[in-house]
Amino acid sequence: MKLLSRIALALALVCGLGLPVRAQMFLHDTWADGTRNNTALPAESAWFSSDSSGASLTAAPGSMTAAIPSGSSLWAAFFTPAGSPASLAVGETLTARAVFTPAGVAANNTSRGLRIGLYNFSDGGTRMSADGFSTGSGTGAPGANVQGYMLNMNFGTTFGVDTPLQIMERTAVSSINLMGASGDFTALSAGPAGSLNGPGFTSGVEYTLQFSVTRTGADSVDVTTRFTGDGLNLSHTATDAAGATLAFDAFAIRPAGSASVATSLVFREFDVTVVPEPSTWAMVVVQMALALGLVWRRRVRA
């Protein structure tokens, strides 16, 4: 009868050390059908554009092109059903991943011209349902009662600031201006230091953005943004230790204009997943296996 105990212990070790943890996929959009205005989660979600004609966002089978005009634009997609955000338990990480290729990348500049955010519209916010909303505080501006985090970044062929990735928390939640006013946000931290004049983005090269939020405690998170591709490995993590946003349902992008970002971004893939902390699952499996062995030994002794 020692065999069962040994099996239980082996199971604990294997699960604790070797088996991957299953992620929950909320959205995996590849624009396979050549459209950007359909929602059929988790395979696709509608993308909304601030321009009334929607002409800045065009889809083809396998990609979506975001054309950046001289002025600001705002694009957004929702990756959960309305009123049902992805809520994080302690130890869980939500990651939004975008695979994109820029064209006409701006030269070295000092602007933080590209803003990217993870938000929660489910606690009193109003979701966009059509194109033609304001990028600032004008008609249909969608920011009221929306919480979340924003990457406020420098974008160019080389970086024009020392810390190109600035991570901010949206604190003026009553403002209708979702991403147009940096004063509606509180800066958590910026990095990586020493990036001034370092290599940035290259036109025609594919990059991957990972925007992650890990819940580290009852009211705390770590927010990480990372860009990789063509030798670039740029990342920064900021901590929100109190008043953290713990649930998310939306992803948004706001370029200030082509002169400080690029003429277009072509997206090949976009997905959102939540992954439990591996050590949490390992501990559960270990405890269950050891309990099973203890129960069996008691039965044998009886």
Side-chain angles (χ1 to χ4, degrees):
M1 299 305 175
K2 294 180 180 179
L3 177 61
L4 188 57
S5 295
R6 291 174 180 173
I7 292 175
L9 181 57
L11 177 65
L13 292 173
V14 169
C15 292
L17 298 177
L19 292 182
V21 177
R22 178 178 292 275
Q24 181 178 0
M25 179 72 72
F26 286 89
L27 173 63
H28 184 200
D29 201 342
T30 60
W31 300 276
D33 61 1
T35 67
R36 58 97 176 169
N37 52 11
N38 297 333
T39 295
L41 298 173
E44 60 181 341
S45 178
W47 287 78
F48 301 105
S49 172
S50 58
D51 64 292
S52 58
S53 68
S56 66
L57 286 182
T58 56
S63 68
M64 180 180 73
T65 298
I68 303 176
S70 58
S72 63
S73 298
L74 179 59
W75 310 304
F78 298 95
F79 50 82
T80 72
S84 301
S87 299
L88 295 176
V90 175
E92 290 185 332
T93 298
L94 180 145
T95 299
R97 184 181 68 98
V99 181
F100 70 97
T101 301
V105 175
N108 181 292
N109 65 90
T110 59
S111 173
R112 292 190 183 272
L114 183 59
R115 295 175 176 178
I116 302 170
L118 273 172
Y119 299 107
N120 182 15
F121 279 72
S122 295
D123 290 336
T126 300
R127 289 187 172 196
M128 299 82 98
S129 58
D131 298 329
F133 44 87
S134 173
T135 65
S137 297
T139 303
N145 302 313
V146 177
Q147 296 177 309
Y149 300 99
M150 181 176 76
L151 170 63
N152 189 31
M153 71 173 295
N154 181 242
F155 198 98
T157 54
T158 57
F159 294 115
V161 300
D162 190 60
T163 53
L165 305 182
Q166 181 184 46
I167 297 174
M168 312 182 81
E169 176 189 12
R170 194 165 196 268
T171 47
V173 296
S174 62
S175 172
I176 65 173
N177 191 339
L178 181 63
M179 302 174 76
S182 58
D184 290 342
F185 292 77
T186 298
L188 298 176
S189 66
S195 297
L196 180 63
N197 296 322
F201 297 88
T202 302
S203 298
V205 171
E206 186 173 86
Y207 297 93
T208 298
L209 160 68
Q210 290 180 295
F211 194 142
S212 300
V213 180
T214 300
R215 185 173 179 181
T216 56
D219 193 24
S220 61
V221 298
D222 284 343
V223 183
T224 300
T225 56
R226 179 186 299 274
F227 289 88
T228 56
D230 192 39
L232 181 68
N233 189 356
L234 187 76
S235 67
H236 181 64
T237 297
T239 296
D240 185 6
T245 300
L246 305 174
F248 304 88
D249 61 9
F251 182 83
I253 305 171
R254 188 188 190 277
S258 55
S260 60
V261 182
T263 56
S264 69
L265 304 173
V266 179
F267 295 91
R268 182 175 62 81
E269 191 173 5
F270 177 74
D271 57 53
V272 180
T273 56
V274 170
V275 179
E277 183 182 35
S279 61
T280 300
W281 284 98
M283 183 61 68
V284 171
V285 173
V286 168
Q287 290 175 344
M288 291 178 62
L290 292 178
L292 179 62
L294 178 61
V295 169
W296 183 261
R297 283 194 294 272
R298 287 177 176 173
R299 290 180 59 185
V300 171
R301 291 173 180 173

